[in-house]
Amino acid sequence: MVKIVIIAGLIAIVLSLASGLFFLVYDKGESKKMVNALSVRVGLSVLLFLLLLLAWSQGMIKPHGM
């Protein structure tokens, strides 16, 4: 279950980054849509990082291969 949430978070981050690129190219700086999209991406990245730390500390995921 946690792995699905992590993958969904990664997909949401990539989609937010793509929307920021779209607004950068086509909006020509007329609105703050790009800034909002990139702010959402940063928020999602921080949330995903905290989720990973929580899942690791609770033993739901385990690092391997180092």
Short mmCIF file of all heavy atoms in Angstrom, two decimals:
data_model
loop_
_atom_site.label_atom_id
_atom_site.label_comp_id
_atom_site.label_asym_id
_atom_site.label_seq_id
_atom_site.Cartn_x
_atom_site.Cartn_y
_atom_site.Cartn_z
N MET A 1 0.82 -1.20 0.00
CA MET A 1 0.00 0.00 0.00
C MET A 1 0.86 1.26 0.00
O MET A 1 0.57 2.21 -0.71
CB MET A 1 -0.92 -0.06 1.23
CG MET A 1 -1.81 1.11 1.37
SD MET A 1 -3.01 1.14 0.04
CE MET A 1 -3.78 2.68 0.36
N VAL A 2 1.92 1.24 0.82
CA VAL A 2 2.79 2.42 0.91
C VAL A 2 3.52 2.65 -0.41
O VAL A 2 3.69 3.79 -0.84
CB VAL A 2 3.79 2.25 2.08
CG1 VAL A 2 4.78 3.37 2.11
CG2 VAL A 2 3.05 2.17 3.39
N LYS A 3 3.91 1.57 -1.05
CA LYS A 3 4.63 1.70 -2.31
C LYS A 3 3.75 2.33 -3.39
O LYS A 3 4.24 3.11 -4.21
CB LYS A 3 5.16 0.35 -2.77
CG LYS A 3 6.25 -0.18 -1.86
CD LYS A 3 6.75 -1.53 -2.31
CE LYS A 3 7.80 -2.04 -1.34
NZ LYS A 3 8.31 -3.35 -1.72
N ILE A 4 2.47 2.02 -3.37
CA ILE A 4 1.55 2.62 -4.34
C ILE A 4 1.42 4.12 -4.09
O ILE A 4 1.41 4.92 -5.03
CB ILE A 4 0.18 1.92 -4.28
CG1 ILE A 4 0.32 0.46 -4.74
CG2 ILE A 4 -0.85 2.65 -5.11
CD1 ILE A 4 -0.91 -0.38 -4.53
N VAL A 5 1.36 4.52 -2.82
CA VAL A 5 1.28 5.94 -2.47
C VAL A 5 2.55 6.66 -2.89
O VAL A 5 2.51 7.79 -3.40
CB VAL A 5 1.00 6.11 -0.96
CG1 VAL A 5 1.09 7.56 -0.55
CG2 VAL A 5 -0.34 5.52 -0.60
N ILE A 6 3.70 6.02 -2.72
CA ILE A 6 4.98 6.62 -3.12
C ILE A 6 5.02 6.81 -4.64
O ILE A 6 5.41 7.88 -5.13
CB ILE A 6 6.15 5.75 -2.62
CG1 ILE A 6 6.24 5.82 -1.10
CG2 ILE A 6 7.47 6.19 -3.26
CD1 ILE A 6 7.20 4.83 -0.49
N ILE A 7 4.62 5.81 -5.38
CA ILE A 7 4.62 5.91 -6.84
C ILE A 7 3.63 6.97 -7.30
O ILE A 7 3.93 7.76 -8.21
CB ILE A 7 4.31 4.53 -7.47
CG1 ILE A 7 5.49 3.59 -7.23
CG2 ILE A 7 4.03 4.66 -8.96
CD1 ILE A 7 5.23 2.16 -7.61
N ALA A 8 2.45 7.04 -6.67
CA ALA A 8 1.47 8.07 -7.02
C ALA A 8 2.02 9.46 -6.72
O ALA A 8 1.82 10.40 -7.49
CB ALA A 8 0.17 7.84 -6.25
N GLY A 9 2.75 9.59 -5.62
CA GLY A 9 3.38 10.87 -5.29
C GLY A 9 4.42 11.27 -6.32
O GLY A 9 4.50 12.44 -6.73
N LEU A 10 5.23 10.33 -6.76
CA LEU A 10 6.23 10.62 -7.79
C LEU A 10 5.57 11.04 -9.10
O LEU A 10 6.03 11.98 -9.77
CB LEU A 10 7.13 9.40 -8.02
CG LEU A 10 8.13 9.09 -6.91
CD1 LEU A 10 8.80 7.75 -7.16
CD2 LEU A 10 9.15 10.19 -6.78
N ILE A 11 4.49 10.37 -9.45
CA ILE A 11 3.77 10.74 -10.68
C ILE A 11 3.18 12.14 -10.55
O ILE A 11 3.24 12.94 -11.49
CB ILE A 11 2.69 9.68 -11.01
CG1 ILE A 11 3.36 8.37 -11.43
CG2 ILE A 11 1.75 10.17 -12.09
CD1 ILE A 11 2.43 7.20 -11.55
N ALA A 12 2.62 12.45 -9.38
CA ALA A 12 2.06 13.79 -9.16
C ALA A 12 3.14 14.87 -9.24
O ALA A 12 2.90 15.95 -9.78
CB ALA A 12 1.35 13.84 -7.81
N ILE A 13 4.33 14.58 -8.74
CA ILE A 13 5.44 15.53 -8.81
C ILE A 13 5.84 15.78 -10.26
O ILE A 13 6.04 16.92 -10.67
CB ILE A 13 6.63 15.02 -7.97
CG1 ILE A 13 6.28 15.09 -6.49
CG2 ILE A 13 7.89 15.81 -8.27
CD1 ILE A 13 7.27 14.38 -5.59
N VAL A 14 5.94 14.72 -11.04
CA VAL A 14 6.31 14.87 -12.45
C VAL A 14 5.22 15.64 -13.22
O VAL A 14 5.54 16.50 -14.06
CB VAL A 14 6.58 13.49 -13.09
CG1 VAL A 14 6.72 13.58 -14.58
CG2 VAL A 14 7.83 12.87 -12.48
N LEU A 15 3.95 15.36 -12.93
CA LEU A 15 2.87 16.08 -13.61
C LEU A 15 2.87 17.56 -13.23
O LEU A 15 2.64 18.42 -14.09
CB LEU A 15 1.52 15.45 -13.27
CG LEU A 15 1.24 14.09 -13.89
CD1 LEU A 15 -0.08 13.52 -13.37
CD2 LEU A 15 1.24 14.17 -15.40
N SER A 16 3.17 17.87 -11.99
CA SER A 16 3.24 19.26 -11.58
C SER A 16 4.42 19.96 -12.25
O SER A 16 4.31 21.12 -12.66
CB SER A 16 3.37 19.35 -10.06
OG SER A 16 3.47 20.68 -9.65
N LEU A 17 5.53 19.27 -12.38
CA LEU A 17 6.68 19.83 -13.08
C LEU A 17 6.36 20.07 -14.55
O LEU A 17 6.72 21.10 -15.12
CB LEU A 17 7.88 18.90 -12.94
CG LEU A 17 9.22 19.38 -13.46
CD1 LEU A 17 9.66 20.61 -12.69
CD2 LEU A 17 10.25 18.28 -13.33
N ALA A 18 5.65 19.13 -15.16
CA ALA A 18 5.26 19.29 -16.57
C ALA A 18 4.30 20.46 -16.75
O ALA A 18 4.40 21.21 -17.73
CB ALA A 18 4.64 18.00 -17.10
N SER A 19 3.38 20.63 -15.82
CA SER A 19 2.45 21.76 -15.95
C SER A 19 3.20 23.08 -15.76
O SER A 19 2.87 24.08 -16.42
CB SER A 19 1.30 21.64 -14.95
OG SER A 19 1.75 21.83 -13.64
N GLY A 20 4.20 23.11 -14.88
CA GLY A 20 5.02 24.31 -14.75
C GLY A 20 5.76 24.63 -16.04
O GLY A 20 5.84 25.80 -16.45
N LEU A 21 6.27 23.60 -16.71
CA LEU A 21 6.93 23.81 -18.00
C LEU A 21 5.95 24.32 -19.05
O LEU A 21 6.26 25.22 -19.82
CB LEU A 21 7.57 22.51 -18.47
CG LEU A 21 8.24 22.54 -19.85
CD1 LEU A 21 9.42 23.49 -19.84
CD2 LEU A 21 8.65 21.16 -20.27
N PHE A 22 4.75 23.75 -19.06
CA PHE A 22 3.71 24.18 -20.00
C PHE A 22 3.39 25.66 -19.81
O PHE A 22 3.33 26.43 -20.77
CB PHE A 22 2.46 23.33 -19.82
CG PHE A 22 1.32 23.75 -20.69
CD1 PHE A 22 1.28 23.38 -22.02
CD2 PHE A 22 0.29 24.54 -20.19
CE1 PHE A 22 0.22 23.77 -22.84
CE2 PHE A 22 -0.76 24.94 -20.98
CZ PHE A 22 -0.79 24.55 -22.32
N PHE A 23 3.19 26.07 -18.55
CA PHE A 23 2.87 27.47 -18.29
C PHE A 23 4.05 28.38 -18.59
O PHE A 23 3.87 29.53 -18.99
CB PHE A 23 2.40 27.66 -16.85
CG PHE A 23 1.06 27.03 -16.58
CD1 PHE A 23 0.88 26.22 -15.47
CD2 PHE A 23 -0.02 27.24 -17.41
CE1 PHE A 23 -0.34 25.64 -15.21
CE2 PHE A 23 -1.25 26.67 -17.17
CZ PHE A 23 -1.41 25.86 -16.06
N LEU A 24 5.28 27.89 -18.41
CA LEU A 24 6.46 28.68 -18.75
C LEU A 24 6.51 28.97 -20.24
O LEU A 24 6.80 30.09 -20.66
CB LEU A 24 7.73 27.94 -18.31
CG LEU A 24 9.06 28.58 -18.70
CD1 LEU A 24 9.26 29.87 -17.91
CD2 LEU A 24 10.19 27.62 -18.44
N VAL A 25 6.18 27.96 -21.04
CA VAL A 25 6.29 28.10 -22.49
C VAL A 25 5.11 28.88 -23.08
O VAL A 25 5.30 29.77 -23.90
CB VAL A 25 6.40 26.70 -23.15
CG1 VAL A 25 6.31 26.81 -24.66
CG2 VAL A 25 7.69 26.03 -22.73
N TYR A 26 3.89 28.58 -22.64
CA TYR A 26 2.71 29.13 -23.31
C TYR A 26 2.07 30.32 -22.61
O TYR A 26 1.30 31.04 -23.23
CB TYR A 26 1.66 28.04 -23.50
CG TYR A 26 2.11 26.99 -24.48
CD1 TYR A 26 2.46 25.72 -24.07
CD2 TYR A 26 2.21 27.30 -25.83
CE1 TYR A 26 2.88 24.76 -24.98
CE2 TYR A 26 2.63 26.36 -26.74
CZ TYR A 26 2.97 25.09 -26.31
OH TYR A 26 3.39 24.17 -27.20
N ASP A 27 2.36 30.56 -21.35
CA ASP A 27 1.69 31.64 -20.62
C ASP A 27 2.43 32.97 -20.78
O ASP A 27 1.84 34.03 -20.58
CB ASP A 27 1.57 31.27 -19.15
CG ASP A 27 0.57 32.11 -18.42
OD1 ASP A 27 -0.36 32.62 -19.07
OD2 ASP A 27 0.71 32.26 -17.19
N LYS A 28 3.69 32.93 -21.12
CA LYS A 28 4.51 34.12 -21.36
C LYS A 28 4.55 35.06 -20.15
O LYS A 28 4.65 36.27 -20.30
CB LYS A 28 4.00 34.90 -22.58
CG LYS A 28 3.91 34.09 -23.84
CD LYS A 28 5.25 33.65 -24.33
CE LYS A 28 5.08 32.94 -25.68
NZ LYS A 28 6.10 32.01 -25.95
N GLY A 29 4.46 34.52 -18.95
CA GLY A 29 4.60 35.33 -17.74
C GLY A 29 3.44 36.24 -17.44
O GLY A 29 3.58 37.19 -16.68
N GLU A 30 2.27 35.97 -17.99
CA GLU A 30 1.11 36.83 -17.78
C GLU A 30 0.36 36.51 -16.49
O GLU A 30 -0.47 37.29 -16.05
CB GLU A 30 0.17 36.74 -18.98
CG GLU A 30 0.80 37.27 -20.25
CD GLU A 30 -0.05 37.02 -21.48
OE1 GLU A 30 -1.17 36.50 -21.33
OE2 GLU A 30 0.41 37.35 -22.57
N SER A 31 0.61 35.36 -15.90
CA SER A 31 -0.05 35.00 -14.65
C SER A 31 0.93 34.26 -13.75
O SER A 31 2.08 34.02 -14.12
CB SER A 31 -1.29 34.15 -14.92
OG SER A 31 -0.90 32.88 -15.41
N LYS A 32 0.46 33.88 -12.59
CA LYS A 32 1.32 33.18 -11.63
C LYS A 32 1.08 31.67 -11.63
O LYS A 32 1.36 31.00 -10.65
CB LYS A 32 1.09 33.75 -10.24
CG LYS A 32 1.53 35.18 -10.11
CD LYS A 32 1.52 35.60 -8.69
CE LYS A 32 2.06 37.02 -8.61
NZ LYS A 32 2.48 37.36 -7.28
N LYS A 33 0.58 31.15 -12.73
CA LYS A 33 0.27 29.72 -12.80
C LYS A 33 1.53 28.87 -12.70
O LYS A 33 1.52 27.82 -12.07
CB LYS A 33 -0.47 29.39 -14.09
CG LYS A 33 -1.86 29.96 -14.13
CD LYS A 33 -2.54 29.61 -15.44
CE LYS A 33 -3.92 30.21 -15.50
NZ LYS A 33 -4.58 29.92 -16.78
N MET A 34 2.64 29.33 -13.32
CA MET A 34 3.87 28.57 -13.25
C MET A 34 4.40 28.53 -11.82
O MET A 34 4.83 27.48 -11.33
CB MET A 34 4.93 29.16 -14.18
CG MET A 34 6.21 28.33 -14.19
SD MET A 34 7.56 29.10 -15.05
CE MET A 34 8.03 30.35 -13.91
N VAL A 35 4.36 29.66 -11.14
CA VAL A 35 4.83 29.72 -9.76
C VAL A 35 3.99 28.81 -8.87
O VAL A 35 4.52 28.09 -8.02
CB VAL A 35 4.80 31.18 -9.24
CG1 VAL A 35 5.15 31.23 -7.78
CG2 VAL A 35 5.74 32.04 -10.06
N ASN A 36 2.69 28.81 -9.10
CA ASN A 36 1.80 27.94 -8.32
C ASN A 36 2.09 26.47 -8.59
O ASN A 36 2.11 25.65 -7.66
CB ASN A 36 0.34 28.25 -8.62
CG ASN A 36 -0.08 29.60 -8.07
OD1 ASN A 36 0.54 30.13 -7.16
ND2 ASN A 36 -1.12 30.15 -8.65
N ALA A 37 2.31 26.11 -9.84
CA ALA A 37 2.60 24.71 -10.19
C ALA A 37 3.91 24.26 -9.56
O ALA A 37 4.01 23.14 -9.04
CB ALA A 37 2.65 24.54 -11.70
N LEU A 38 4.92 25.12 -9.58
CA LEU A 38 6.20 24.73 -8.99
C LEU A 38 6.13 24.73 -7.47
O LEU A 38 6.81 23.94 -6.82
CB LEU A 38 7.29 25.66 -9.51
CG LEU A 38 7.56 25.55 -11.01
CD1 LEU A 38 8.67 26.50 -11.42
CD2 LEU A 38 7.90 24.13 -11.41
N SER A 39 5.30 25.58 -6.89
CA SER A 39 5.10 25.55 -5.43
C SER A 39 4.43 24.25 -5.01
O SER A 39 4.78 23.66 -3.98
CB SER A 39 4.26 26.74 -4.99
OG SER A 39 4.89 27.94 -5.29
N VAL A 40 3.47 23.81 -5.80
CA VAL A 40 2.82 22.52 -5.53
C VAL A 40 3.85 21.40 -5.63
O VAL A 40 3.86 20.48 -4.80
CB VAL A 40 1.65 22.29 -6.51
CG1 VAL A 40 1.15 20.85 -6.46
CG2 VAL A 40 0.52 23.25 -6.21
N ARG A 41 4.73 21.47 -6.61
CA ARG A 41 5.76 20.43 -6.77
C ARG A 41 6.68 20.37 -5.57
O ARG A 41 7.00 19.29 -5.06
CB ARG A 41 6.58 20.67 -8.03
CG ARG A 41 7.61 19.56 -8.26
CD ARG A 41 8.56 19.90 -9.38
NE ARG A 41 9.36 21.07 -9.11
CZ ARG A 41 10.53 21.03 -8.44
NH1 ARG A 41 10.98 19.90 -7.97
NH2 ARG A 41 11.21 22.14 -8.24
N VAL A 42 7.09 21.53 -5.08
CA VAL A 42 7.98 21.56 -3.91
C VAL A 42 7.24 21.00 -2.69
O VAL A 42 7.80 20.20 -1.92
CB VAL A 42 8.49 22.99 -3.65
CG1 VAL A 42 9.17 23.08 -2.31
CG2 VAL A 42 9.42 23.42 -4.76
N GLY A 43 5.98 21.38 -2.52
CA GLY A 43 5.20 20.85 -1.41
C GLY A 43 5.03 19.34 -1.48
O GLY A 43 5.15 18.63 -0.48
N LEU A 44 4.75 18.84 -2.68
CA LEU A 44 4.62 17.39 -2.86
C LEU A 44 5.94 16.67 -2.60
O LEU A 44 5.95 15.58 -2.02
CB LEU A 44 4.13 17.08 -4.28
CG LEU A 44 2.67 17.38 -4.58
CD1 LEU A 44 2.40 17.20 -6.07
CD2 LEU A 44 1.76 16.50 -3.77
N SER A 45 7.05 17.27 -3.00
CA SER A 45 8.35 16.66 -2.77
C SER A 45 8.66 16.56 -1.28
O SER A 45 9.15 15.53 -0.80
CB SER A 45 9.44 17.46 -3.48
OG SER A 45 9.24 17.45 -4.86
N VAL A 46 8.37 17.62 -0.54
CA VAL A 46 8.61 17.61 0.91
C VAL A 46 7.70 16.59 1.57
O VAL A 46 8.13 15.82 2.44
CB VAL A 46 8.39 19.02 1.50
CG1 VAL A 46 8.36 18.99 3.01
CG2 VAL A 46 9.46 19.97 1.01
N LEU A 47 6.44 16.54 1.16
CA LEU A 47 5.49 15.58 1.71
C LEU A 47 5.93 14.14 1.42
O LEU A 47 5.86 13.28 2.31
CB LEU A 47 4.11 15.84 1.14
CG LEU A 47 2.96 15.07 1.76
CD1 LEU A 47 2.75 15.50 3.20
CD2 LEU A 47 1.70 15.30 0.96
N LEU A 48 6.40 13.89 0.22
CA LEU A 48 6.87 12.55 -0.13
C LEU A 48 8.11 12.17 0.68
O LEU A 48 8.24 11.04 1.15
CB LEU A 48 7.18 12.46 -1.63
CG LEU A 48 7.64 11.09 -2.12
CD1 LEU A 48 6.55 10.05 -1.93
CD2 LEU A 48 8.05 11.17 -3.57
N PHE A 49 9.02 13.12 0.88
CA PHE A 49 10.21 12.86 1.68
C PHE A 49 9.82 12.50 3.11
O PHE A 49 10.36 11.55 3.70
CB PHE A 49 11.14 14.08 1.65
CG PHE A 49 12.41 13.88 2.41
CD1 PHE A 49 13.41 13.07 1.93
CD2 PHE A 49 12.60 14.52 3.62
CE1 PHE A 49 14.58 12.88 2.63
CE2 PHE A 49 13.76 14.35 4.33
CZ PHE A 49 14.77 13.53 3.83
N LEU A 50 8.89 13.25 3.69
CA LEU A 50 8.44 12.96 5.05
C LEU A 50 7.73 11.61 5.12
O LEU A 50 7.90 10.85 6.09
CB LEU A 50 7.52 14.07 5.55
CG LEU A 50 8.19 15.42 5.78
CD1 LEU A 50 7.15 16.47 6.16
CD2 LEU A 50 9.27 15.32 6.84
N LEU A 51 6.95 11.28 4.09
CA LEU A 51 6.31 9.97 4.03
C LEU A 51 7.34 8.84 3.98
O LEU A 51 7.20 7.83 4.66
CB LEU A 51 5.38 9.88 2.83
CG LEU A 51 4.74 8.50 2.59
CD1 LEU A 51 3.72 8.21 3.67
CD2 LEU A 51 4.12 8.43 1.22
N LEU A 52 8.39 9.04 3.19
CA LEU A 52 9.45 8.03 3.12
C LEU A 52 10.15 7.85 4.46
O LEU A 52 10.42 6.72 4.89
CB LEU A 52 10.46 8.40 2.04
CG LEU A 52 10.02 8.22 0.60
CD1 LEU A 52 11.02 8.85 -0.35
CD2 LEU A 52 9.83 6.75 0.28
N LEU A 53 10.44 8.95 5.14
CA LEU A 53 11.07 8.85 6.46
C LEU A 53 10.16 8.15 7.46
O LEU A 53 10.62 7.31 8.24
CB LEU A 53 11.43 10.25 6.97
CG LEU A 53 12.64 10.91 6.33
CD1 LEU A 53 12.83 12.32 6.90
CD2 LEU A 53 13.89 10.10 6.57
N LEU A 54 8.88 8.48 7.43
CA LEU A 54 7.93 7.86 8.34
C LEU A 54 7.79 6.37 8.05
O LEU A 54 7.81 5.54 8.97
CB LEU A 54 6.57 8.54 8.24
CG LEU A 54 5.48 7.99 9.15
CD1 LEU A 54 5.81 8.29 10.60
CD2 LEU A 54 4.14 8.58 8.78
N ALA A 55 7.66 6.01 6.78
CA ALA A 55 7.52 4.60 6.41
C ALA A 55 8.78 3.82 6.77
O ALA A 55 8.69 2.67 7.23
CB ALA A 55 7.23 4.48 4.93
N TRP A 56 9.94 4.43 6.62
CA TRP A 56 11.19 3.75 6.97
C TRP A 56 11.30 3.56 8.48
O TRP A 56 11.68 2.49 8.95
CB TRP A 56 12.37 4.54 6.43
CG TRP A 56 13.70 4.00 6.82
CD1 TRP A 56 14.19 2.74 6.57
CD2 TRP A 56 14.72 4.67 7.55
NE1 TRP A 56 15.44 2.61 7.08
CE2 TRP A 56 15.79 3.78 7.69
CE3 TRP A 56 14.82 5.95 8.08
CZ2 TRP A 56 16.95 4.14 8.37
CZ3 TRP A 56 15.97 6.30 8.73
CH2 TRP A 56 17.03 5.39 8.87
N SER A 57 10.93 4.60 9.24
CA SER A 57 11.04 4.50 10.70
C SER A 57 10.03 3.49 11.28
O SER A 57 10.30 2.89 12.32
CB SER A 57 10.83 5.86 11.35
OG SER A 57 9.49 6.28 11.21
N GLN A 58 8.91 3.29 10.60
CA GLN A 58 7.90 2.34 11.07
C GLN A 58 8.16 0.92 10.54
O GLN A 58 7.42 0.00 10.88
CB GLN A 58 6.51 2.81 10.64
CG GLN A 58 6.09 4.11 11.25
CD GLN A 58 5.98 4.03 12.76
OE1 GLN A 58 5.45 3.08 13.30
NE2 GLN A 58 6.53 5.02 13.43
N GLY A 59 9.16 0.75 9.69
CA GLY A 59 9.49 -0.57 9.17
C GLY A 59 8.64 -1.00 7.99
O GLY A 59 8.66 -2.18 7.62
N MET A 60 7.90 -0.07 7.39
CA MET A 60 7.06 -0.42 6.24
C MET A 60 7.88 -0.61 4.97
O MET A 60 7.50 -1.39 4.09
CB MET A 60 6.00 0.65 6.00
CG MET A 60 5.00 0.79 7.10
SD MET A 60 3.87 2.12 6.71
CE MET A 60 3.17 2.43 8.31
N ILE A 61 8.98 0.10 4.86
CA ILE A 61 9.92 -0.07 3.75
C ILE A 61 11.30 -0.25 4.33
O ILE A 61 11.61 0.24 5.42
CB ILE A 61 9.89 1.13 2.77
CG1 ILE A 61 10.20 2.45 3.48
CG2 ILE A 61 8.57 1.22 2.05
CD1 ILE A 61 10.34 3.63 2.56
N LYS A 62 12.14 -0.95 3.61
CA LYS A 62 13.49 -1.23 4.10
C LYS A 62 14.49 -0.91 2.97
O LYS A 62 14.31 -1.37 1.85
CB LYS A 62 13.63 -2.68 4.51
CG LYS A 62 12.81 -3.04 5.71
CD LYS A 62 13.03 -4.48 6.09
CE LYS A 62 12.42 -4.82 7.39
NZ LYS A 62 11.08 -4.91 7.58
N PRO A 63 15.54 -0.15 3.27
CA PRO A 63 16.56 0.10 2.26
C PRO A 63 17.37 -1.19 2.03
O PRO A 63 17.53 -2.02 2.92
CB PRO A 63 17.42 1.19 2.89
CG PRO A 63 17.19 1.08 4.35
CD PRO A 63 15.81 0.55 4.52
N HIS A 64 17.90 -1.31 0.80
CA HIS A 64 18.71 -2.48 0.49
C HIS A 64 19.69 -2.15 -0.61
O HIS A 64 19.56 -1.15 -1.32
CB HIS A 64 17.83 -3.65 0.04
CG HIS A 64 17.06 -3.37 -1.21
ND1 HIS A 64 15.89 -2.66 -1.19
CD2 HIS A 64 17.28 -3.71 -2.50
CE1 HIS A 64 15.43 -2.56 -2.43
NE2 HIS A 64 16.27 -3.19 -3.24
N GLY A 65 20.71 -2.97 -0.77
CA GLY A 65 21.61 -2.87 -1.90
C GLY A 65 22.77 -1.92 -1.74
O GLY A 65 23.43 -1.60 -2.70
N MET A 66 23.05 -1.44 -0.55
CA MET A 66 24.17 -0.53 -0.39
C MET A 66 25.40 -1.34 -0.19
O MET A 66 26.09 -1.64 0.49
CB MET A 66 23.95 0.45 0.75
CG MET A 66 22.93 1.47 0.41
SD MET A 66 23.65 2.54 -0.80
CE MET A 66 22.89 4.04 -0.50
#
